[in-house]
Amino acid sequence: MKTSTINELEATSTDGSKLRVTLEPPTRTSWRNWPVAALLTALVVAHIVAFQQTEFSLTGLVDGSGGMVRFLSEALPPNLNWEQVLWPGIQASGITLWIGLLGTTLSIPTSGILAVWASRTTSPHPIVYQLSRSILSFFRAVPDIVFALIFVTAVGLGPFAGVLALICHNTGVMGKLWAEAIEDIDPGPSQALSTVGANRNQIVANATIPQVSASMLGLLLYRFDVNVRSSLVLGLVGAGGIGLLINQSIKSFQFDAMLTHILIVLVMVIAVDLFSSAIRKRLAA
């Protein structure tokens, strides 16, 4: 075979006949770039509308810098009075920690059951699968602070409402994460047990859970870390904990006490984060 021109190839077949092939230059298909251009244009327009609707303004931030300076001047130094601020803040932070703990652990049974039913590999029926997915989506879609407002009206102010709110929201989030982890396991052990006559519950208990237990525990620790932070916000709507003290300090213009409570929260969150990270590293090792 030899090349006659850049766009032509000439070849000789086995019977001696010659075959000439003309290569057409590639044509530019500029129309293929339209989806990308349309997407970029839509993003630009969406950001312009978002800036307008949210009244985002760097000028307003600069103009309000004086108020921020006055706020910081009133907050510094933090109020370290032991009896009136520091000790009540430590006690309230403990309540916040317990809200996050119970909101995580008490959601394990419902999350586990719904995760098994919401996984394609372990769900007993398509209707059960869709129903479980819908329940998880509902619990996940409603923010925990909305659940807290609902339960505050039902059971009154206090940490109990915060625990109930976290149980509901965490069931939706953790159930979804666990269901996806179950769907990613190796189907080999489950198929082997099914071949020897094991029922669905035996397959889940002896093949599914052992494969996914480490991943599920890691996700559980991650959710505990998140729930401790969420329980702080729930206190702002009356669900108890140190968030309630922060809210009271802001309303009474005691910004130095507010800063003390925020520093206590910072220490608590760092401690929880270090604890969760250490456990997850041990699991991964």
Side-chain angles (χ1 to χ4, degrees):
M1 182 179 65
K2 65 179 181 178
T3 304
S4 57
T5 64
I6 296 179
N7 296 326
E8 292 184 356
L9 293 177
E10 184 178 293
T12 303
S13 61
T14 55
D15 58 356
S17 60
K18 293 185 178 180
L19 177 65
R20 177 170 294 181
V21 180
T22 303
L23 301 178
E24 296 292 338
T27 58
R28 293 184 178 180
T29 55
S30 58
W31 59 270
R32 293 182 179 178
N33 297 326
W34 279 106
V36 177
L39 177 61
L40 293 177
T41 303
L43 286 175
V44 171
V45 172
H47 278 78
I48 293 174
V49 174
F51 280 127
Q52 293 176 346
Q53 295 296 319
T54 59
E55 300 178 359
F56 184 89
S57 173
L58 294 178
T59 304
L61 180 62
V62 174
D63 294 339
S65 60
M68 296 175 63
V69 171
R70 288 193 299 271
F71 173 80
L72 291 175
S73 65
E74 295 178 7
L76 293 172
N79 188 345
L80 300 179
N81 185 285
W82 176 259
E83 293 183 356
Q84 297 180 359
V85 179
L86 201 55
W87 177 240
I90 294 174
Q91 290 180 313
S93 66
I95 295 176
T96 297
L97 182 63
W98 306 139
I99 293 173
L101 177 64
L102 292 180
T104 304
T105 56
L106 295 183
S107 63
I108 290 177
T110 51
S111 299
I113 294 173
L114 289 173
V116 172
W117 290 349
S119 174
R120 295 183 185 276
T121 57
T122 55
S123 182
H125 195 275
I127 296 179
V128 176
Y129 169 81
Q130 293 297 337
L131 183 60
S132 301
R133 285 277 177 171
S134 300
I135 294 174
L136 292 177
S137 298
F138 170 74
F139 283 139
R140 194 170 63 254
V142 179
D144 46 17
I145 194 169
V146 175
F147 278 124
L149 290 171
I150 295 173
F151 286 118
V152 162
T153 61
V155 301
L157 298 173
F160 182 42
V163 173
L164 294 176
L166 284 183
I167 290 174
C168 292
H169 184 72
N170 195 63
T171 294
V173 177
M174 198 160 63
K176 175 67 161 51
L177 295 175
W178 282 359
E180 292 179 349
I182 292 174
E183 289 183 348
D184 292 337
I185 64 173
D186 181 13
S190 300
Q191 294 174 355
L193 288 179
S194 178
T195 302
V196 297
N199 59 37
R200 185 176 300 275
N201 293 333
Q202 291 173 331
I203 293 174
V204 171
N206 296 283
T208 303
I209 300 301
Q211 289 190 73
V212 80
S213 58
S215 177
M216 293 175 68
L217 183 56
L219 292 171
L220 180 66
L221 290 171
Y222 165 73
R223 287 304 305 171
F224 170 63
D225 192 6
V226 173
N227 287 334
V228 170
R229 292 172 170 83
S230 298
S231 60
L232 167 66
V233 180
L234 299 183
L236 300 177
V237 296
I242 197 169
L244 181 61
L245 295 184
I246 293 176
N247 191 27
Q248 293 175 348
S249 299
I250 294 174
K251 289 182 176 180
S252 60
F253 300 101
Q254 297 178 357
F255 300 123
D256 53 349
M258 178 212 66
L259 180 59
T260 302
H261 296 148
I262 291 177
L263 293 176
I264 293 174
V265 170
L266 178 62
V267 173
M268 179 184 65
V269 168
I270 292 176
V272 171
D273 183 59
L274 292 175
F275 170 77
S276 299
S277 298
I279 298 298
R280 286 196 294 267
K281 287 181 180 178
R282 292 291 298 272
L283 293 174

